[in-house]
Amino acid sequence: MGCVRSVAPMRIAKWGYILVSAFMCLLGAALIFRPEFSENLLGSIFGRLLILFGGVRLVGYFSKDLYRLAFQYDLAFGILGIVIGIAILLHPQHLMAFIGITLGLFILADSVFKIQIALDSKRFGIHAWWLILTFAILTGLLGILLFFHPGHLLSRFLGLTLVLEGVLNLNTVISAVKIIKHQRPDGMENAEKYKED
C-alpha cells in the first residue's frame, strides 16, 4: 500500500479558511452597521487578520489537497496578504487612505483567480461552481468600487466587500477542498502510474 500523505495540513488550511472567512464576515458586518469604527483599532484588527489569513493560505498551498483547486494561487496571495497586513499594522492611522487602492486591487485580483477556480471546478464536476463564480464576480465589482474611493461610504463599502469576500472564501473552500484519509504522495502516485504504463 505504501505511505500516505498526512491530511493534517489540509485540515488546518480548510478550518483556518473557514474561521478567518467567518471572522471577515463579522468584521464586515460591524463596519456596515458601525462605519465610525476607530481607524487605529480597525487597522490593528485588519492587519492581524490579513497576516493570519496569509499564513493559512500558505499552509493551504503546500498541503496539496486532492483537487488542487482552492489553494492553487495561494502562494502569491498568502505572501501578499502577509506583506499588506504588516504594512497596515505599521501604519494603522493611514488605513482608510491605504485601503482603497491596495485592498481594492488585492480583492479584485483574488476575485479574478476565484473565477478561474470556479471554471476549473465546473470541469471537475463540482456542483457549487456557479456559487463560487457568482460571489467572485460580486466581490470583484466591490473591489473595483474600493479602488475608486467612494469617499464617506468607504467604511460601508469595505464592510460589504469583506462580507462578500468571506462568503466567497467559505464557499470556495467548502466546495472545492476534498480531504481523503488515504491520499498518497504525488511522487508515489506518479511512480505507480509509470509502472502501469
Side-chain angles (χ1 to χ4, degrees):
M1 173 122 179
C3 63
V4 295
R5 176 184 293 140
S6 169
V7 297
M10 287 174 251
R11 287 193 195 285
I12 291 168
K14 185 169 186 173
W15 281 103
Y17 246 84
I18 289 169
L19 292 172
V20 172
S21 298
F23 187 74
M24 201 178 285
C25 291
L26 290 173
L27 182 59
L31 277 172
I32 291 168
F33 296 109
R34 295 287 302 273
E36 67 281 1
F37 218 89
S38 158
E39 196 167 355
N40 279 345
L41 179 60
L42 180 61
S44 177
I45 293 170
F46 201 66
R48 285 176 172 81
L49 182 66
L50 280 176
I51 292 168
L52 177 63
F53 199 25
V56 167
R57 293 181 97 151
L58 289 177
V59 171
Y61 178 79
F62 290 108
S63 72
K64 298 192 182 289
D65 67 297
L66 183 65
Y67 291 156
R68 311 288 166 83
L69 289 173
F71 305 136
Q72 64 181 313
Y73 305 112
D74 277 2
L75 177 62
F77 278 101
I79 293 168
L80 190 56
I82 291 169
V83 170
I84 293 172
I86 291 169
I88 290 172
L89 278 181
L90 291 175
H91 304 286
Q93 69 278 10
H94 302 304
L95 175 68
M96 294 320 248
F98 177 78
I99 219 161
I101 294 174
T102 309
L103 193 64
L105 279 176
F106 180 79
I107 287 173
L108 178 60
D110 190 39
S111 299
V112 169
F113 284 111
K114 289 287 196 314
I115 290 170
Q116 180 66 54
I117 289 170
L119 298 176
D120 290 342
S121 296
K122 183 182 180 185
R123 283 197 291 275
F124 266 76
I126 295 171
H127 299 297
W129 70 270
W130 62 273
L131 274 174
I132 299 171
L133 180 65
T134 302
F135 281 107
I137 292 169
L138 289 173
T139 305
L141 291 173
L142 284 172
I144 292 168
L145 287 175
L146 271 180
F147 182 77
F148 287 109
H149 286 285
H152 66 285
L153 293 175
L154 184 57
S155 289
R156 284 200 166 99
F157 270 111
L158 174 59
L160 185 56
T161 305
L162 286 176
V163 169
L164 282 178
E165 177 77 5
V167 171
L168 171 62
N169 287 321
L170 280 169
N171 191 280
T172 303
V173 80
I174 289 169
S175 304
V177 176
K178 177 84 170 154
I179 299 174
I180 57 171
K181 288 183 182 174
H182 303 294
Q183 187 177 341
R184 305 179 82 176
D186 292 343
M188 183 168 290
E189 287 165 359
N190 291 337
E192 289 191 359
K193 180 180 159 195
Y194 292 128
K195 236 187 251 181
E196 286 167 12
D197 293 344

